[in-house]
PDB file of all heavy atoms in Angstrom:
ATOM      1  N   ASP A 121     -15.578 135.075 -68.587  1.00  0.00           N
ATOM      2  CA  ASP A 121     -16.891 135.582 -69.012  1.00  0.00           C
ATOM      3  C   ASP A 121     -17.508 134.499 -69.827  1.00  0.00           C
ATOM      4  O   ASP A 121     -17.055 134.136 -70.894  1.00  0.00           O
ATOM      5  CB  ASP A 121     -16.732 136.904 -69.803  1.00  0.00           C
ATOM      6  CG  ASP A 121     -18.039 137.454 -70.257  1.00  0.00           C
ATOM      7  OD1 ASP A 121     -18.875 136.740 -70.830  1.00  0.00           O
ATOM      8  OD2 ASP A 121     -18.218 138.705 -70.063  1.00  0.00           O
ATOM      9  N   GLU A 122     -18.616 133.901 -69.309  1.00  0.00           N
ATOM     10  CA  GLU A 122     -19.245 132.741 -69.963  1.00  0.00           C
ATOM     11  C   GLU A 122     -19.689 133.080 -71.403  1.00  0.00           C
ATOM     12  O   GLU A 122     -19.433 132.320 -72.340  1.00  0.00           O
ATOM     13  CB  GLU A 122     -20.427 132.244 -69.150  1.00  0.00           C
ATOM     14  CG  GLU A 122     -21.111 130.990 -69.676  1.00  0.00           C
ATOM     15  CD  GLU A 122     -20.308 129.747 -69.429  1.00  0.00           C
ATOM     16  OE1 GLU A 122     -19.317 129.763 -68.635  1.00  0.00           O
ATOM     17  OE2 GLU A 122     -20.639 128.696 -70.033  1.00  0.00           O
ATOM     18  N   SER A 123     -20.293 134.253 -71.589  1.00  0.00           N
ATOM     19  CA  SER A 123     -20.786 134.590 -72.933  1.00  0.00           C
ATOM     20  C   SER A 123     -19.635 134.783 -73.882  1.00  0.00           C
ATOM     21  O   SER A 123     -19.693 134.392 -75.063  1.00  0.00           O
ATOM     22  CB  SER A 123     -21.627 135.871 -72.855  1.00  0.00           C
ATOM     23  OG  SER A 123     -22.810 135.634 -72.105  1.00  0.00           O
ATOM     24  N   LEU A 124     -18.537 135.412 -73.391  1.00  0.00           N
ATOM     25  CA  LEU A 124     -17.368 135.612 -74.275  1.00  0.00           C
ATOM     26  C   LEU A 124     -16.707 134.307 -74.609  1.00  0.00           C
ATOM     27  O   LEU A 124     -16.226 134.088 -75.711  1.00  0.00           O
ATOM     28  CB  LEU A 124     -16.377 136.557 -73.598  1.00  0.00           C
ATOM     29  CG  LEU A 124     -15.105 136.852 -74.349  1.00  0.00           C
ATOM     30  CD1 LEU A 124     -15.419 137.388 -75.760  1.00  0.00           C
ATOM     31  CD2 LEU A 124     -14.206 137.826 -73.615  1.00  0.00           C
ATOM     32  N   ALA A 125     -16.697 133.352 -73.642  1.00  0.00           N
ATOM     33  CA  ALA A 125     -16.177 132.016 -73.921  1.00  0.00           C
ATOM     34  C   ALA A 125     -16.886 131.362 -75.081  1.00  0.00           C
ATOM     35  O   ALA A 125     -16.302 130.765 -75.971  1.00  0.00           O
ATOM     36  CB  ALA A 125     -16.213 131.137 -72.670  1.00  0.00           C
ATOM     37  N   HIS A 126     -18.213 131.504 -75.066  1.00  0.00           N
ATOM     38  CA  HIS A 126     -19.047 130.938 -76.171  1.00  0.00           C
ATOM     39  C   HIS A 126     -18.726 131.661 -77.499  1.00  0.00           C
ATOM     40  O   HIS A 126     -18.622 131.026 -78.532  1.00  0.00           O
ATOM     41  CB  HIS A 126     -20.516 131.072 -75.858  1.00  0.00           C
ATOM     42  CG  HIS A 126     -21.015 130.015 -74.873  1.00  0.00           C
ATOM     43  ND1 HIS A 126     -21.901 129.010 -75.193  1.00  0.00           N
ATOM     44  CD2 HIS A 126     -20.731 129.830 -73.573  1.00  0.00           C
ATOM     45  CE1 HIS A 126     -22.144 128.239 -74.168  1.00  0.00           C
ATOM     46  NE2 HIS A 126     -21.464 128.721 -73.118  1.00  0.00           N
ATOM     47  N   LEU A 127     -18.584 132.994 -77.414  1.00  0.00           N
ATOM     48  CA  LEU A 127     -18.339 133.728 -78.635  1.00  0.00           C
ATOM     49  C   LEU A 127     -16.994 133.432 -79.218  1.00  0.00           C
ATOM     50  O   LEU A 127     -16.840 133.336 -80.463  1.00  0.00           O
ATOM     51  CB  LEU A 127     -18.459 135.242 -78.362  1.00  0.00           C
ATOM     52  CG  LEU A 127     -18.307 136.151 -79.569  1.00  0.00           C
ATOM     53  CD1 LEU A 127     -19.333 135.857 -80.658  1.00  0.00           C
ATOM     54  CD2 LEU A 127     -18.368 137.606 -79.155  1.00  0.00           C
ATOM     55  N   ILE A 128     -15.972 133.199 -78.370  1.00  0.00           N
ATOM     56  CA  ILE A 128     -14.660 132.846 -78.892  1.00  0.00           C
ATOM     57  C   ILE A 128     -14.714 131.495 -79.534  1.00  0.00           C
ATOM     58  O   ILE A 128     -14.093 131.277 -80.572  1.00  0.00           O
ATOM     59  CB  ILE A 128     -13.617 132.882 -77.722  1.00  0.00           C
ATOM     60  CG1 ILE A 128     -13.338 134.368 -77.325  1.00  0.00           C
ATOM     61  CG2 ILE A 128     -12.321 132.224 -78.174  1.00  0.00           C
ATOM     62  CD1 ILE A 128     -12.419 134.499 -76.149  1.00  0.00           C
ATOM     63  N   GLU A 129     -15.428 130.530 -78.932  1.00  0.00           N
ATOM     64  CA  GLU A 129     -15.555 129.212 -79.566  1.00  0.00           C
ATOM     65  C   GLU A 129     -16.213 129.310 -80.916  1.00  0.00           C
ATOM     66  O   GLU A 129     -15.807 128.676 -81.864  1.00  0.00           O
ATOM     67  CB  GLU A 129     -16.312 128.259 -78.641  1.00  0.00           C
ATOM     68  CG  GLU A 129     -15.549 127.761 -77.462  1.00  0.00           C
ATOM     69  CD  GLU A 129     -14.520 126.709 -77.836  1.00  0.00           C
ATOM     70  OE1 GLU A 129     -14.288 126.494 -79.051  1.00  0.00           O
ATOM     71  OE2 GLU A 129     -13.868 126.145 -76.960  1.00  0.00           O
ATOM     72  N   ALA A 130     -17.263 130.140 -81.003  1.00  0.00           N
ATOM     73  CA  ALA A 130     -18.042 130.209 -82.252  1.00  0.00           C
ATOM     74  C   ALA A 130     -17.340 131.120 -83.288  1.00  0.00           C
ATOM     75  O   ALA A 130     -17.375 130.811 -84.476  1.00  0.00           O
ATOM     76  CB  ALA A 130     -19.445 130.743 -81.952  1.00  0.00           C
TER      77      ALA A 130
END
Side-chain angles (χ1 to χ4, degrees):
D121 181 311
E122 184 75 12
S123 295
L124 180 54
H126 283 247
L127 183 59
I128 290 176
E129 284 287 6

